[in-house]
C-alpha cells in the first residue's frame, strides 16, 4: 500500500515536470535509482496515467548510471565551478 502511494505521488511529480519541460529523458538519481525496474516500470505506468495526454510516451524514464554517487559527483562539479 505504501509503495503504491509513493509511486502515485512520484508519478504525479514526474508527469508535471514532463508537462512543463518536455525532456526527452528523465533521469532518476540518488537512492531511488537503486530500485531499478522495481521502481521504473510502475513509475512509467503511473506517469502515463497521470500525464498530459499529448505528451504521453514522449519521455524515457531511466535510473542514473552513477546510482547513489550522482549526488557526490554533482557536489564535486558545483565545488569546481565555484
Amino acid at each position: 500500500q505504501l509503495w503504491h502511494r509513493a509511486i502515485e505521488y512520484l508519478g504525479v511529480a514526474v508527469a508535471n515536470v514532463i508537462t512543463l519541460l518536455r525532456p526527452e529523458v528523465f533521469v532518476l538519481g540518488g537512492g531511488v535509482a537503486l530500485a531499478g525496474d522495481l521502481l521504473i516500470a510502475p513509475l512509467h505506468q503511473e506517469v502515463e496515467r497521470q500525464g498530459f495526454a499529448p505528451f504521453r510516451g514522449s519521455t524515457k524514464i531511466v535510473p542514473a548510471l552513477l546510482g547513489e554517487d550522482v549526488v557526490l559527483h554533482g557536489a564535486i562539479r558545483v565545488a569546481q565551478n565555484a
Side-chain angles (χ1 to χ4, degrees):
Q1 177 86 12
L2 179 61
W3 180 252
H4 295 292
R5 177 78 45 103
I7 295 290
E8 181 180 350
Y9 289 142
L10 186 56
V12 169
V14 171
N16 285 335
V17 170
I18 290 170
T19 299
L20 290 172
L21 303 177
R22 298 277 319 269
E24 291 181 22
V25 178
F26 189 97
V27 180
L28 291 169
V32 296
L34 299 177
D37 287 338
L38 186 65
L39 172 68
I40 299 297
L43 178 61
H44 190 325
Q45 291 174 348
E46 189 63 29
V47 168
E48 290 297 302
R49 189 175 78 77
Q50 298 281 352
F52 184 50
F55 302 154
R56 289 182 187 151
S58 65
T59 301
K60 185 175 182 179
I61 301 171
V62 299
L65 295 176
L66 297 174
E68 288 183 282
D69 293 339
V70 71
V71 176
L72 176 61
H73 286 273
I76 291 169
R77 179 63 99 184
V78 167
Q80 288 174 336
N81 292 333

